[in-house]
Amino acid sequence: MATISTPQKDEALAGLTLRFAAHVANLTRAQVPDEVRAKAKLILRDGIGNQIAASAISEPANRVVDLVKEWGGAPQSTIVGHGIKVPTPHAALVNAMMGHGIELDDAHGSGLIKAGSVLVPAAFAVAELAGASGEDVLVGLVAGYDLAIRIAKAINPGHRQRGYHTTGTVSGIGAAAMAAKLLGCREAQIACAIGLACMQSAGIQSYLDDPCMAKPFSPGKAAFNGVMAAIMAQRGFTGPKKALECREGFLNAFTDRVKTEELTEGLGSHFSIMEVGFKPHAACRYAHGPIDLAQTAYRQDAVRLADAASVTVGMSELAIRQASKPVCPNLNAAMGSTQFGVALALAAGGNGLKEYWDGYKSAQIHAGAKIVELRAEPAYGLSGRQAKIDIRLKDGRVVSLASVEPKGEPSNPLGADELDAKFLAMTTMVVDRAHARRISDLVMRLEQLPKADAVTGAAVVSGGPSLRAA
């Protein structure tokens, strides 16, 4: 049982679910600064880009797409890429699996959460059901991120140490609150939606010890659960309105320590979405620091994989647990492998989706991954994102580099041109450049759209998604 039942903590947590519900219900366009709205649009575009690319590439997601097609049901919300309309929770499920299916979804460092893979597909699926405007989606997304990021920060790293996948366990709570807002719910109904999402919260990371198809299923179910919770609450199905903070609630069940200050400090004035980073590489976020360094060695020192005798990478303990896979039985495992990512960077100079797609077929890169050794650096703490790399070349030289944080974090950001290029690189694997530009333009003027479903309507591939010829 978690150690949160002290008088001081009980007082800090009192009414938390209802307070979050009130924040979500009452947040308006006027309260969201321009820079926050701009960040929300970038996240929405990034998320749709992930889904479009994965619609042709992600085998796990497409297996479930086939399943929901077989189930049929009310034509309410669009499956991205495929263009088929299915019941809204099912669209959220498969679009979220695609959102997480190519390892390019946004990420939050200390929260250990990739909320966009859940919140973006849930937002567009529910907007289509509700006839919500682009403005509604922007404000709803900001509110959903506030809950997801704050809860994730408050319960980690203890939550992760128990084996939980925060993207699966927590993002669904933010999705439920956001979806309920888009459905026109007020405070009490939003609190019920939060409670119903808490009751469904699930997701462990056992796929790390047995590489398989399961990883994107976790955010997929989080999106499904959050959307289902919101629809139920809108229809009068009541849920526990103290689900986060009560003795039998989420916080007591899912961690040993709650950092209460992370939950409500600055709520309404500081927007958590601004803390989220973008991923330049199609890889586990913990692999990004070493990949950045390997790419620097490739560009600046002309280091090539064929010239390397051995590579030693220093990372935090959790980074190694999360992203160590010297042998990669499938593409998803390769995207989650620091060893493969470093070898790919030294062989190709890049770690985008196309490089992984092509590089996975290379015996040289699989062999190269086996010369990459990961070592825990105590100075980096349990979950630090610092990295260092020592590349010993066959001629005896050693190239050594170090970094404090990976590229793409808010304090080490990707520029507007880099984010635009990332979107085009993902989407033009599936649609032509003009089509990709139309989708981008729709998202970047989202607040002008009377109906947000214009985006999902455009994110469809004629004849079904497939990889385009290079």
Side-chain angles (χ1 to χ4, degrees), residues 67 107 117 143 193 280 314:
L67 185 59
S117 58

Side-chain angles (χ1 to χ4, degrees), residues 52 427-433 435-436 439 460-461 466 468:
I52 292 169
T427 53
T428 55
M429 291 185 71
V430 183
V431 300
D432 64 42
R433 190 178 183 88
H435 190 168
I439 298 165
V460 170
V461 183
S466 62
R468 297 176 68 241

Side-chain angles (χ1 to χ4, degrees), residues 199-253:
M199 290 185 66
Q200 299 176 83
S201 181
I204 56 173
Q205 301 212 51
S206 52
Y207 52 78
L208 292 175
D209 295 324
D210 184 10
C212 56
M213 293 183 178
K215 187 170 186 278
F217 185 53
S218 178
K221 272 310 299 305
F224 177 97
N225 293 343
V227 168
M228 187 71 177
I231 292 171
M232 291 169 68
Q234 184 210 25
R235 296 191 174 209
F237 194 106
T238 58
K241 295 190 287 296
K242 299 179 181 179
L244 288 168
E245 69 272 21
C246 71
R247 178 176 176 81
E248 309 297 341
F250 178 89
L251 295 174
N252 247 345

Side-chain angles (χ1 to χ4, degrees), residues 134-190:
E135 187 66 54
D136 294 334
V137 167
L138 283 175
V139 176
L141 187 81
V142 170
Y145 265 91
D146 269 341
L147 268 64
I149 299 299
R150 287 172 177 274
I151 295 169
K153 289 166 64 179
I155 63 176
N156 274 311
H159 184 64
R160 172 63 187 89
Q161 286 292 79
R162 288 186 173 196
Y164 288 115
H165 186 201
T166 313
T167 302
T169 55
V170 175
S171 297
I173 300 171
M178 173 194 68
K181 182 179 179 68
L182 289 171
L183 289 168
C185 295
R186 296 304 300 161
E187 292 176 27
Q189 288 175 303
I190 293 174

Side-chain angles (χ1 to χ4, degrees), residues 130 142 154 195 214-215 242 275 282 299 311 330 334 385 387 415-416 423 453:
V142 170
K215 187 170 186 278
K242 299 179 181 179
E275 302 172 16
R299 292 191 306 269
V311 181
N330 54 50
R385 293 178 186 258
F423 176 82
D453 63 6

